[in-house]
Amino acid sequence: MITFDYIKPSANKAAIDAIMKNQNAMFIAGGTNLVDLMKRGITTPEKLVDINNLPLKGVNKSNNILSIGALTLNSEVAEHETVVKQFPLLSMALKAGASPQIRNMATVGGNMMQRTRCPYFYDTSMPCNKRAPGTGCGALHGYNRMHAIFGMSEQCIAVHPSDMCVALVALDAVVTVSGPKGERKIPFASFHRLPGDHPEKDNTLEKGELITSVEIKENNFSKHAYYLKVRDRASYAFALVSVAAALDIQNNIIHDARLAMGGVAHKPWRLKAAENILKGKPATEASFRLAAQMAMQGAKAFEYNAFKLKLAPNSIIEALTLASKA
Amino acid sequence: MENEFFFNYDTMPDPMDRVDGKMKVTGAAKYASEHPVEDVHYGVLVGSTIARGVIKNIDTKAAERAPGVIGVLTYLNSPKVPGYDAGGNPVKGRTTGQPLRVFYDEVIYFNGQPIALVVADTFERAVHAASLVRTQYDAEKHSTDINANLDKAVYPRGRSNDYTRGNADAYKTAPVKIEAEYIVPVEVHLPMELHSIIAKWDAEDKVTVYDKTQGVKSTQRSIMQAFKLPEQNVQVYAPFVGGGFGSALRTWPHEIAALLGAKKTGKPVKLVLGRDQMFTMVGYRPYTIQKFGIGATADGKIIGMSHEAISQTSTYEEFTEGTVNMTRFLYDVPNVFTRYKIIPLDVSTPTWMRGPGEATGSFALESAIDELAYALNMDPLELRLKNYAETDPEKNRPFSSKFLKDAYQLGADKIGWYKRNRQPRSMQENGWLAGYGMSTGTFSASRGNASASARLSADGKLVIQSAVADSGPGTATVMTQIASETVGWPANKITFELGDSSLPPGPTQGGSTTTSTEGSAVHAVSVALQKKLGELAIKASPGFSNAKTEDLVFDNGKVILSTNKTTTVSFTDILKHNSLNQVEVTSDSKSLNDQKYSMYSFSVHFVKVLVNPLTGVVKVNRAVSVADAGRIVNEKTAASQIIGGVTGGIGMALMEEGILDNRYGRWINNNFADYHVPVSADVPDIDSLFVNKPDPIINPMGAKGMGEIALIGFAAAVTNAVYHATGKRIRSLPVTLDKLI
């Protein structure tokens, strides 16, 4: 059997040190993705550093900032009173993800770290630059119905599978990480990366860096928010397209807007240009259509995902409509 | 006529609970891989990674050296299967018409073909060792895409099966006609229980297996043939089966592989397929392209229909099913043409999946009927009634029973069919488009051979036995009911034992025949038990010594003398009077080959859908399914059949599709996350209705079959409703949202 070492430290520093000592060591929290990857031989860490004993749990709000510990369970965040009332977009996105059983195991940090669900990534007999750099992209000329329409490269056209991250990028969340060089903060939009020539790298974390919390500033989007997940069945399916939409509407005029999409790119896809179009406009279908049109600039489809070029803007209109009515 | 001892349901209690329900929900029921077997070892299969060619080199050294491994089998070192040499080309080359011969030679017929078996002391060690097997191939160009190989379509066994009634082209000259092509993709059975077997050689020529199978006797026969063993030397157990839907109707290569692994290593071998292997090793519903033509007069009398189907099979076996058959008899049409062809591809062999070919064929037929109705500006139900077949137009004979009109009425009333606005895209609910659709299903009803034994003990326990398997419909429950009612003995004192090949032969559970076939045997043995008890009463019970058998009446566990009704004796007292601990009888029930009647079950499905106009998301909002399945023995288990059929039908209509990457001939979505079956949130409240009128011909119970008709036709009801909601006709399943935006 492929053996691995396992430790369960109770201090952040010990966990980080353990990772630094072994080139092939990995953190494990809920394990809802990593254990699958290990079973299939896609990821073969020599050492697992179980971080579940670290003091990284809980949801707190102070000084207008919501702070979510990296080890807080997806289900706890989704049901947390403050989140439900003041950050409903995040609660809705979490509830749209996975299944209740998985949400009871999966952590916020782990959710951010989950790998793509591209089938070529999962089948070790197929080419995949993300799993095995240099072997090619199986999806590029293969079955790419689930794949990206924005920001892909010749090396990789996979999408990031998270729902939670789409809401977090829309809400301008900030990721706090702790590493061998100390603490730093990463804007959520800069946490995940586009594939470029290194699709094996999903994010901008450096070796030994540990996600400790995610912070969101208080905002005026709690009244008009909607997370729309469009998928092939009603639950337990990854998004074909998802939309996080939040509006600050005053006297039927859109004062501010937040918009992001999931299922369309290698990272949660923030739509700032479309947000800007909405600002100052009435909350009407005509405005939403303009935003949807703007959002789709630069989109490009492959053989099996051309429908996303229509589904994505339609979903934006639907999500903005539902947010405005919320 | 079979109805001289017609089954009396008037005294039946409310639908009986499943006799094994508690065992199933508490985990007490043991499924194939759960039986404790001493010193059991674990087998894991290695699949090929090319679709066609030969193995050039297979290196098993690392696997053999891995911890816990006691054997690695390949074609180079496997024990021989004597039955494999019984036919076909012995060494190289591609044979046809023979099941895949596992570990037989170096030839690869499909991607994922089992090429090695690793046996180890734990499952994890076997999985790891299997990953160490290294194989080099001489790959050949493969063909797995049916659409790219349409020119290779052939008649099965090279013989025309064209059916023509009247003029094949008559529909083309009709005032109103429809010509369309319909596609049903590959669907995979995926029962919750993975296919599993424990194989244990008790001696050189004697074997015991615990197997997931829908037929313990058919599995026994397959193993007997493969290893040239006598019947008494092959023991098959399948007391519980966690779903099948057809995938466990035949014996597959993994079962033979486990037997070979056990033979080679001398240890009992447990082999459980992985979910991905369920896509390549135990069959699937084949991709099928159907061309349908239909024409009618302006007032809706159908003049002609033409139905051609092309389906896929493997290169080593021809699989066929009744895809076009129902077009020949469901409607009263003077001119009908059907044709059925197959294309051999470098894929594993398909097999029957619930509803089998008829579920595929009904999608074309019942979609075309709907298309015709809209073209005629006629209600689709009215069109069906206008062309209703009172007698079988294919065989020119009456139906044994047909209450399809009752079913139409029940379903239409329940869903409010006539209250809808018939115009497409005319109805809305909360911003979603709403639509109604309907369809008809039918499947043959029959009765085969079966035997059963009945043993009444002095303590009052009655045990009925038969070698049938129950993959979920509630066979033991229904058989207990039939025995209880026929013998006149309380159900809670009856045990129905099944899933054991040493019991009196029972049928394979498939084709909606178990209640009819097995129930007839249980009925027969129940009557035989009464007769035997009567004889014993005359022999030894006080007051019966001069009685004649025709003077005996059986009622509620007693024998009563009809000439003197105060003379009675209980069944258990009869045993006492005869100084017997038990009495046992065995009966055979013969298959019914009545050439005077056509026998079919019928179903009607009504569906309401909601479609999001922007995203194309389809929700089945309501389903009403009505069965004309003769007398319903147990309304609860029968309703469960409908719930399962409707759920499967929602999957077939909206989400199920096995996707192959034709560049590799390899499955893309071979897991439960990517191959979508309906979750609870996809399934609405389902109304299960029954005409519940007995068939007077088929068997003493008057019961026809339920399993297939619950699914057959359902997908068309959904696509017809989607058309009504949106004005878009989807002819290619599944109706994923991309087809609607």
Side-chain angles (χ1 to χ4, degrees), chain A residues 169-192:
Chain A
V169 79
L171 294 171
D172 275 335
V174 173
V175 186
T176 305
V177 304
S178 196
K181 294 174 201 161
E183 265 202 7
R184 68 177 177 123
K185 287 184 188 293
I186 308 171
F188 205 90
S190 306
F191 182 85
H192 295 97

Side-chain angles (χ1 to χ4, degrees), chain A residues 21-86:
Chain A
K21 276 188 216 146
N22 186 322
Q23 189 56 39
N24 292 313
M26 293 180 79
F27 294 125
I28 185 165
T32 58
N33 190 207
L34 181 56
V35 172
D36 279 352
L37 295 171
M38 289 172 66
K39 278 189 194 167
R40 287 164 171 261
I42 296 159
T43 305
T44 50
E46 288 172 12
K47 185 171 201 166
L48 284 184
V49 179
D50 185 333
I51 58 172
N52 284 297
N53 278 352
L54 304 187
L56 302 174
K57 291 188 182 120
V59 180
N60 291 295
K61 196 176 166 216
S62 65
N63 297 330
N64 301 332
I65 290 182
L66 182 81
S67 176
I68 305 167
L71 284 175
T72 318
L73 300 179
N74 285 194
S75 50
E76 287 171 353
V77 181
E79 301 293 346
H80 194 276
E81 200 184 344
T82 311
V83 177
V84 171
K85 279 186 185 160
Q86 298 177 31

Side-chain angles (χ1 to χ4, degrees), chain B residues 328-371:
Chain B
R328 301 177 197 151
F329 67 84
L330 187 56
Y331 297 103
D332 182 23
V333 179
N335 303 292
V336 174
F337 174 77
T338 69
R339 170 176 286 169
Y340 175 76
K341 289 188 170 183
I342 51 175
I343 300 178
L345 296 170
D346 298 309
V347 295
S348 63
T349 308
T351 197
W352 302 280
M353 180 165 162
R354 194 175 191 177
E358 286 78 355
T360 300
S362 65
F363 174 59
L365 170 60
E366 291 298 286
S367 294
I369 290 279
D370 199 67
E371 296 205 39

Side-chain angles (χ1 to χ4, degrees), chain B residues 24 63 70 95 167 319 389 453 458:
Chain B
K24 288 186 171 181
I70 61 163
T95 59
N167 173 3
F319 170 75
S453 67

Side-chain angles (χ1 to χ4, degrees), chain B residues 253-326:
Chain B
H254 75 274
E255 288 156 297
I256 302 297
L259 285 156
L260 292 172
K263 203 168 189 58
K264 177 93 179 165
T265 61
K267 301 283 187 187
V269 168
K270 179 189 290 195
L271 193 160
V272 181
L273 293 187
R275 187 58 68 184
D276 55 339
Q277 293 174 324
M278 298 281 283
F279 283 68
T280 51
M281 296 198 196
V282 290
Y284 53 88
R285 189 193 299 285
Y287 191 108
T288 304
I289 300 164
Q290 301 177 74
K291 286 188 165 60
F292 208 100
I294 185 168
T297 60
D299 65 348
K301 184 74 197 95
I302 300 171
I303 293 168
M305 297 197 292
S306 173
H307 187 179
E308 294 180 50
I310 298 178
S311 196
Q312 70 184 117
T313 189
S314 65
T315 57
Y316 52 91
E317 255 180 321
E318 288 188 346
F319 170 75
T320 64
E321 55 186 354
T323 310
V324 297
N325 297 3
M326 66 190 273

